[in-house]
Amino acid sequence: MPNSISNLPRLDHKPRTPGRGPMNLSPDPGPRPQSRSGKRWGLAEPFLVRRSSPSSRSPLSSVSHSSLCSTSLPLSPWSGIMDVDDDTSVSTSVTEPSAAVIDGQTVVVATGTIPIQPVQMVGPPLIAPIAPIPAPHTSIPPQLAPLPPRPPVLRPPQAQQNGEVSPSDSDSDHDDSGPTPSAAEYEVSEQSRQIRERQEKAMQELLIKRRAAALAVPTNDLAVRARLRRLGEPITLFGEREMERRDRLRMLLVKLDAEGQLERLMKAHEDEEAAASVTRDEAEEDIEYPFYTEGSKALLQARVEIAKYSIPRAALRLQRARRKRDDPDEDVDAEIDWALEQAGSLVLDCSEIGDDRPLSGCSFSHDGNMLATCASSGVAKLWSMPQVTKVSTLKGHTERLTDVAFSPVDNYVATGSADRTARLWNTEGSLLKTFEGHLDRLARISFHPSGKYLGTTSYDKTWRLWDIDTGEELLLQEGHSRSVYGIAFHHDGSLAASCGLDALARVWDLRSGRSILALEGHVKSVFGVSFSPNGYHLATGGEDNTCRIWDLRKRKSLYVIPAHSKSLSEVKFEPQEGYFLVTASFDMTAKVWSSRDFKPVKTLSGHEGRVTSLDIAGDGQCIATVSSDRTIKMWSSRNSGKEKDMEID
């Protein structure tokens, strides 16, 4: 046997990394399994390097790694499997034959022992030529069986958006093991099936909700009931509210839509509505509706009389204003200063118990000789001035009284009550007229400057105009969104102002019936309103503790007075020239303000309860206030008392 093998291919062997286990060198038996990185194990062809544990080593000869790297080994073509150990001993026993491929020929060698002697290296390492070894005449042993393939791991198919199953992107090493099983071969567990059913049910519910949200369902409860009745469903269930009924109708429509019956029902409904509209149009062709609310003949006559009354008075007012402006002898500032001086000297002149119950209103007669008061007891009383002596009692209302007013022309007294009526009395206490028509309790009342008409406000969101002579209701005026509380008439008689709990004040033209101004500015309810004698100023006071001055010429708020610490109950201008303004409040005080710069002039304090109403005498020298403490207090200026004493002397 030659010592060198020269015709075999050289073994391309790379040094082993220290610390790793032994490796087997064997020919490639067939399909090679791939690693996780996609590369095969082994060395250059035709050999394959495969890791193995020491217990699974082949009984072939073992060659030291260091010996292979440092010596020239005489290898035989049948030594196809070589175990490489990390120890220093060299085993030279070969127990199994193998076949080697040399230049396209197969050389078979018999089992034998090949001694391998270590060679000392002198100089650079040389590899001796390898010569072929003659094959002994022995039988050919069977080749080693390939490694069994790893059993495939079954995974459920991953569905893509288009419904196709995408191949798994796993980096497992069973890609070459065989075809991927189909979805039908997977077994779905009971838990997975239940989860899938729940998901499908949730998806169906979501689609139903989306379809229901897209349906048009009427918001009017009457229309919802009519639609349910048309569908043959109960129009209401026990304890069902409006929104629940609407949701039930929506779900019914969704159900019918899913069954394909909604379009048929909607078409039938449209046909019914079309037939009803045609019938309605035919019936309305013969009726012509006016674009306004037609009033009575009495209202038309009243508007004419109001126009005849107001135009001359307006002309006189404008003439007087021009004279004051152009006449050099007229000193307006001096007049205002004198009026404010009189108002600043107001003192408490008299205090009298007015009733057993809280007082709610008061009013001076046109000559200032009498005072009328009303109370929650339902009784109104007349007092003589200035001694405040009771003259008569007005009884007839069945509920508490809310306001009282003296006629500006005659000795008539009007009262308003929570029994929804207003009544007209004479000074002797006799009942003259009863004005019935309001649907809720009355608030404030006021006479027209002509004395022929009475205005009343009510919590039924309307104010009404009555004829004093006939007791007929001339005008029912709407316009406020909430209860109407206060009312006042312009001194010319052409305009009326109303205020209410909707935080709004409106100005009405009595000659045409139009709302010419809507004064927005208060943030809470407005309780008091008053026209200035100058003709273009309007004062309002309300629950926001402020008094606002409006300029009717500019149609906007002129000044805001932070008047009191609580709600204002009444606002009134001085009746002669309007040089000062008086406000009453629930903070138990009344205050006097200058109409020139709207600064405070005097605070009238003395009540022990909230001040509910006030009135100013015709000459502006006396102010009366009533309160929930049941008292009437008279405030008079000191200079007026001195002047009276001088007149008596």
Side-chain angles (χ1 to χ4, degrees), residues 528-606:
V529 60
S530 177
F531 280 101
S532 173
N534 62 16
Y536 52 85
H537 280 168
L538 177 70
T540 57
E543 196 178 359
D544 56 1
N545 309 342
T546 63
C547 176
R548 286 181 176 264
I549 309 299
W550 307 86
D551 195 330
L552 302 182
R553 301 168 300 180
K554 299 179 181 179
R555 296 171 174 258
K556 66 178 183 179
S557 177
L558 181 65
Y559 203 85
V560 179
I561 306 174
H564 294 270
S565 60
K566 290 186 179 180
S567 301
L568 275 71
S569 57
E570 189 71 85
V571 176
K572 282 194 177 180
F573 275 100
E574 181 263 319
Q576 279 190 343
E577 298 293 339
Y579 288 149
F580 61 86
L581 172 72
V582 185
T583 59
S585 172
F586 288 174
D587 61 0
M588 300 183 292
T589 63
K591 293 184 180 181
V592 182
W593 308 85
S594 170
S595 60
R596 180 169 52 188
D597 51 9
F598 302 105
K599 292 182 179 179
V601 176
K602 183 71 175 181
T603 300
L604 309 177
S605 59

Side-chain angles (χ1 to χ4, degrees), residues 623-641:
I623 298 176
T625 58
V626 295
S627 170
S628 60
D629 61 1
R630 305 172 299 165
T631 62
I632 307 169
K633 295 188 183 297
M634 306 299 299
W635 310 85
S636 301
S637 62
R638 299 171 184 175
N639 297 333
S640 63

Side-chain angles (χ1 to χ4, degrees), residues 164-392:
E164 297 179 356
V165 179
S166 63
S168 175
D169 56 351
S170 172
D171 55 353
S172 61
D173 53 354
H174 65 277
D175 296 340
D176 298 336
S177 60
T180 304
S182 61
E185 299 178 4
Y186 293 107
E187 294 183 0
V188 181
S189 63
E190 183 67 21
Q191 183 178 3
S192 300
R193 186 181 60 79
Q194 294 178 357
I195 293 175
R196 186 175 299 176
E197 290 178 356
R198 287 198 299 268
Q199 291 177 349
E200 293 178 355
K201 184 177 180 181
M203 183 61 67
Q204 292 178 358
E205 293 179 355
L206 178 61
L207 294 177
I208 290 175
K209 290 181 179 179
R210 287 182 178 178
R211 196 178 301 115
L215 289 177
V217 180
T219 57
N220 187 4
D221 187 58
L222 296 178
V224 172
R225 291 171 181 262
R227 188 72 61 85
L228 288 172
R229 183 181 290 108
R230 190 175 295 108
L231 294 176
E233 297 290 334
I235 61 173
T236 184
L237 300 178
F238 180 76
E240 188 179 46
R241 305 184 68 178
E242 289 81 358
M243 294 305 298
E244 297 172 354
R245 189 178 301 111
R246 186 167 179 260
D247 293 339
R248 181 162 63 91
L249 174 61
R250 187 188 299 275
M251 298 310 296
L252 288 173
L253 294 178
V254 171
K255 183 179 178 182
L256 293 174
D257 188 16
E259 296 175 356
Q261 302 179 8
L262 181 61
E263 295 183 359
R264 180 174 57 83
L265 292 174
M266 294 302 293
K267 185 177 180 181
H269 175 60
E270 291 176 358
D271 295 341
E272 292 178 1
E273 288 186 348
S277 62
V278 169
T279 305
R280 195 181 305 113
D281 294 340
E282 293 177 355
E284 291 180 354
E285 286 179 358
D286 301 334
I287 303 176
E288 294 182 359
Y289 292 98
F291 65 95
Y292 59 92
T293 302
E294 188 174 359
S296 61
K297 296 292 184 180
L299 177 59
L300 178 60
Q301 184 64 29
R303 294 194 191 280
V304 173
E305 292 180 358
I306 289 174
K308 291 180 179 180
Y309 174 83
S310 62
I311 291 175
R313 290 174 63 92
L316 291 175
R317 176 175 55 84
L318 293 176
Q319 182 181 357
R320 186 170 62 252
R322 293 189 189 101
R323 185 182 68 249
K324 288 183 178 181
R325 183 192 62 186
D326 299 335
D327 191 354
D329 296 335
E330 294 286 345
D331 192 353
V332 180
D333 292 335
E335 292 183 7
I336 295 176
D337 292 338
W338 182 84
L340 295 180
E341 183 181 356
Q342 295 290 322
S345 63
L346 289 171
V347 293
L348 180 60
D349 189 40
C350 178
S351 180
E352 182 70 25
I353 299 294
D355 199 270
D356 297 335
R357 300 293 304 278
L359 300 176
S360 56
C362 64
S363 176
F364 277 108
S365 62
H366 64 93
D367 54 5
N369 294 329
M370 298 187 72
L371 176 71
T373 61
C374 63
S376 299
S377 60
V379 176
K381 296 180 181 180
L382 301 180
W383 309 80
S384 64
M385 299 299 293
Q387 294 83 11
V388 194
T389 303
K390 186 171 68 173
V391 175
S392 61

